[in-house]
Amino acid sequence: MIIGVVGAGTMGAGIAEVFARTEGYTAKLADISREHAEKGRNRVLAGLDKRVAKGSATQAQRDAVAASLVVADVAELGDADLIVEAVLETMTIKRPLFEQLDALAKEGAILASNTSSLSITELARGLGHAVGGMHFFNPAPVMKLVEVTAGASTTEETVATITQIAEAVGKTPVRVEEAAGFVVNRILVPMINEAVGVLADGVASAADIDEAMKLGANHPIGPLALGDLIGLDVTLAIMEVLQAETGDPKYRAHPLLRKYVRAGWLGRKTGRGFFQYA
Ligand code: CAA
């Protein structure tokens, strides 16, 4: 099966790895340029090289991903059975991309979005191809969950196909109706925003807030480190969608979160967020 992945950032590259490591799947990774896509592919292979050195992956597994993860232009995704979009989380970028994909995808192909909070209904409006949501979690190669999201025009057949593919690549899908933030982000992102508020109020240091949530709530990493992992720009964008969609002031993004994003301190990807990264 050929899978197109558009967007070679953290999520897109990780998603491409998930497909490429599954026997019988080829992942074609595209971005605004081949260079961007190549960078994403190189990050995947560098991560696998580290795991091989650590002994948690074999050279054969690494080489299998290298063989099945190919770089492509968006225009070359016409042979894909499924195209997963994982570009920036704004409708003004995603919607024209879906129109472009609709024009080039082969008959019967499914267009899926990895959106974490935007409307599948709006992405699908007026398109000839089936559209659904296939929301992976960061880091995509590790996290088991896929939220399979349905918009107004997403058929049960499309939901079933995306669900089967998610299972085939080793994920556990849950069916989610269209709603801002779906299930996980509606709960998780306000928690991160609240942790930013706890920090801004001087209740505890960033390190102690995270230590408290790890030890007191059994979270694998603390909320501020999680914001850094997701990306503080993405975290802010999700809060803004939650607030815009519901009009509920409880989803107000904390000003300190906004300030970090304005400063370009976006978390791991920029080397600095609430914590510093090498
Ligand atoms: N890509 C590929 N593999 C990765 C990885 C990455 N970015 N990060 C970690 N891994 C792998 C490691 O290689 C390691 O695998 P091996 O044991 O086979 O070598 C394994 O994951 C564990 O990694 P570590 O030992 O380095 O670190 P850890 O035990 O702290 O686990 C973690 C890392 C799995 C990320 C863990 O910290 C965790 O579960 N964190 C919470 C993640 C989470 O909540 N994600 C959801 C974010 S919300 C979201 O994504 C939705 C959205 O739309 C914004």
Side-chain angles (χ1 to χ4, degrees), residues 81-124:
D81 303 287
L82 167 73
I83 303 178
V84 182
E85 166 278 313
V87 303
L88 286 181
E89 195 66 359
T90 67
M91 194 52 88
T92 47
I93 294 175
K94 287 187 196 280
R95 177 65 211 180
L97 175 62
F98 268 74
E99 284 166 13
Q100 185 187 0
L101 295 175
D102 192 44
L104 63 85
K106 71 178 183 186
E107 203 183 327
I110 293 179
L111 309 182
S113 177
N114 179 57
T115 182
S116 52
S117 54
L118 299 176
S119 167
I120 301 297
T121 299
E122 190 170 347
L123 287 174

Side-chain angles (χ1 to χ4, degrees), residues 189 193 231-242 251 253-254 257-259 261-262:
V189 176
N193 191 54
L232 299 181
D233 52 342
V234 177
T235 303
L236 175 61
I238 295 169
M239 287 305 295
E240 285 176 337
V241 169
L242 287 170
Y251 296 118
H254 197 282
L257 176 61
R258 218 174 268 290
K259 194 182 267 184
V261 172
R262 285 185 179 139

Side-chain angles (χ1 to χ4, degrees), residues 37-262:
E38 197 68 57
K39 272 191 191 156
R41 181 177 184 273
N42 289 342
R43 278 201 313 280
V44 168
L45 296 181
L48 281 164
D49 285 338
K50 271 195 203 151
R51 294 190 56 218
V52 171
K54 240 174 50 177
S56 63
T58 65
Q59 186 66 36
Q61 285 169 328
R62 183 258 181 224
D63 291 345
V65 170
S68 305
L69 205 180
V70 299
V71 162
D73 289 324
V74 173
E76 294 168 339
L77 300 182
D79 57 351
D81 303 287
L82 167 73
I83 303 178
V84 182
E85 166 278 313
V87 303
L88 286 181
E89 195 66 359
T90 67
M91 194 52 88
T92 47
I93 294 175
K94 287 187 196 280
R95 177 65 211 180
L97 175 62
F98 268 74
E99 284 166 13
Q100 185 187 0
L101 295 175
D102 192 44
L104 63 85
K106 71 178 183 186
E107 203 183 327
I110 293 179
L111 309 182
S113 177
N114 179 57
T115 182
S116 52
S117 54
L118 299 176
S119 167
I120 301 297
T121 299
E122 190 170 347
L123 287 174
R125 189 182 58 232
L127 302 190
H129 285 84
V131 177
M134 188 174 198
H135 181 215
F136 291 81
F137 291 79
N138 189 2
V142 180
M143 303 295 285
K144 296 291 282 181
L145 182 68
V146 170
E147 287 178 328
V148 181
T149 55
S153 61
T154 310
T155 64
E156 282 311 309
E157 195 190 342
T158 300
V159 167
T161 305
I162 295 174
T163 300
Q164 276 162 18
I165 294 173
E167 282 169 348
V169 298
K171 299 298 180 190
T172 302
V174 295
R175 162 74 190 259
V176 178
E177 294 308 321
E178 180 160 300
F182 307 126
V183 172
V184 173
N185 282 343
R186 175 158 164 193
I187 298 169
L188 197 62
V189 176
M191 179 197 72
I192 295 167
N193 191 54
E194 194 62 29
V196 177
V198 172
L199 178 68
D201 289 350
V203 178
S205 69
D208 283 348
I209 290 167
D210 273 20
E211 191 72 349
M213 289 303 286
K214 281 198 285 183
L215 301 181
N218 251 2
H219 289 189
I221 57 175
L224 297 172
L226 185 56
D228 283 354
L229 176 75
I230 294 171
L232 299 181
D233 52 342
V234 177
T235 303
L236 175 61
I238 295 169
M239 287 305 295
E240 285 176 337
V241 169
L242 287 170
Q243 182 156 50
E245 285 287 317
T246 62
D248 192 329
K250 78 180 175 184
Y251 296 118
R252 164 183 167 270
H254 197 282
L256 186 62
L257 176 61
R258 218 174 268 290
K259 194 182 267 184
Y260 269 59
V261 172
R262 285 185 179 139

